[in-house]
Amino acid sequence: MAVIRSVIRGVGAYLPKRVLTNADLAKIVDTSDDWIVERTGIRERHIAADGEMTSDLGIAAAKKALVRAGIDPVDIDLVICATATPDRTFPATAVRIQQGLGVTKGAAFDVQAVCSGFVYALTIADNFIKSGQFKRAVVVGAETFSRILDWEDRTTCVLFGDGAGAVVLEAQSQIGTREDRGILASRIRSDGRFEDLLYVDGGPSSTKTVGHLRMNGREVFRHAVQKISGVIEETLVMTGYAPDEIDLYVPHQANQRILDGVLRKLGVPAEKIVVTLDRHGNTSAASIPLALNQAFEDHRINEGSLVLMEAMGGGFTWGAVLARW
Ligand code: UT7
């Protein structure tokens, strides 16, 4: 029976020009290139310029994705921005992106699920498209985490970076099997009991300030591999695919040791995973679309590729999306 699927028509990304290396960081806090590389795999990250905002990054990424999709912005009827670092408390960064792209139809809103934001946003867009309410969506992950870091805290400031990525989804009629193009399955989860392990210590309603990121890295790490591999397995069960049948894993980029642990647990070889964290650091909601863009430009993703995206972050939130390009 024919079904409507959300087909990924284009991907784009944008990174701010300024690069901050581990050696640069060693001049600011008591750290070293050796420690950061050994414990995380990160070598450098990009930092937004003064006045360069999350929406600017998101607009640049979305414009590239639209060009690659060959879709005119006037035909877009949904814009979702996953971000934990909005330009303003309100309105949503997505409406600024909507305006910057010249989209005037439909709806635009933000999704706040921190590092899992892009997986959440894709899942939400997919459900709107499958329901028939919207036909073409721009889904953006954009962050300026440099603005919420405590630059005196070496346990967190070395981990994160700024950037944006975007995909364009289009409703297309497909046969209704797991061989279809488009989003085939997704699963999102959260558990607020873990809020205090990764959070920002400010906000309009609590402190009337923006605040800084606080993390108990060791505890987050302890949960990560299990939660991520669990949600991947649940997503694969929905389609009956085995882990080794996936062409490419595009994970949220937090720590190389987490990526290695997930691979080991699933029994997947390292060449099937996209790694960008050495050059981008952890860009929260932007990391998956940035990695998708890299894989697309490297010709590792082609039409028909079976791609598994996954993430875990503050909340805790976590989730996975399986799509055929
Ligand atoms: O995207 C959202 C999800 N976030 C994550 O997935 C992050 C998960 N956690 C992690 O990636 C790791 O826990 C970290 C990379 C944050 C930390 O690595 P770790 O191996 O868990 O190190 P640790 O926190 O156990 O710290 C080990 C030591 C400590 O010193 P003592 O107490 O052993 O003397 C830290 O003070 O390393 C010290 N340390 C540092 N040393 C040099 C912590 N940060 C640094 C640093 N440079 N930047």
Side-chain angles (χ1 to χ4, degrees), residues 3-21:
V3 297
I4 298 292
R5 299 269 194 202
S6 310
V7 172
I8 302 172
R9 288 283 312 273
V11 61
Y14 175 81
L15 287 160
K17 289 205 173 43
R18 183 175 163 217
V19 172
L20 190 70
T21 65

Side-chain angles (χ1 to χ4, degrees), residues 200-278:
V200 169
D201 62 4
S205 175
S206 54
T207 59
K208 296 185 267 177
T209 62
V210 172
H212 291 119
L213 183 147
R214 306 294 175 204
M215 175 164 71
N216 182 335
R218 210 176 293 186
E219 279 301 304
V220 177
F221 196 104
R222 216 167 56 75
H223 286 275
V225 173
Q226 201 191 357
K227 288 198 162 34
I228 292 166
S229 36
V231 83
I232 290 175
E233 279 162 357
E234 288 169 24
T235 307
L236 292 180
V237 162
M238 292 165 79
T239 54
Y241 280 115
D244 63 355
E245 290 180 283
I246 303 305
D247 294 316
L248 205 59
Y249 285 79
V250 185
H252 168 54
Q253 312 276 319
N255 188 313
Q256 185 64 47
R257 290 184 293 147
I258 295 176
L259 303 187
D260 294 342
V262 171
L263 286 180
R264 259 197 311 275
K265 207 156 192 298
L266 295 174
V268 170
E271 58 269 20
K272 281 205 173 187
I273 194 163
V274 181
V275 179
T276 53
L277 96 164
D278 53 332

Side-chain angles (χ1 to χ4, degrees), residues 31 35 39-40 115 154 217-218 221 252 254-255 257-258 282:
T31 191
W35 190 95
R39 299 288 178 127
T40 72
C115 298
R154 68 175 184 172
R218 210 176 293 186
F221 196 104
H252 168 54
N255 188 313
R257 290 184 293 147
I258 295 176
N282 180 345

Side-chain angles (χ1 to χ4, degrees), residues 188-202:
I188 52 172
R189 290 292 320 279
S190 63
D191 189 337
R193 286 175 298 176
F194 299 107
E195 177 190 345
D196 289 342
L197 296 180
L198 176 49
Y199 65 100
V200 169
D201 62 4

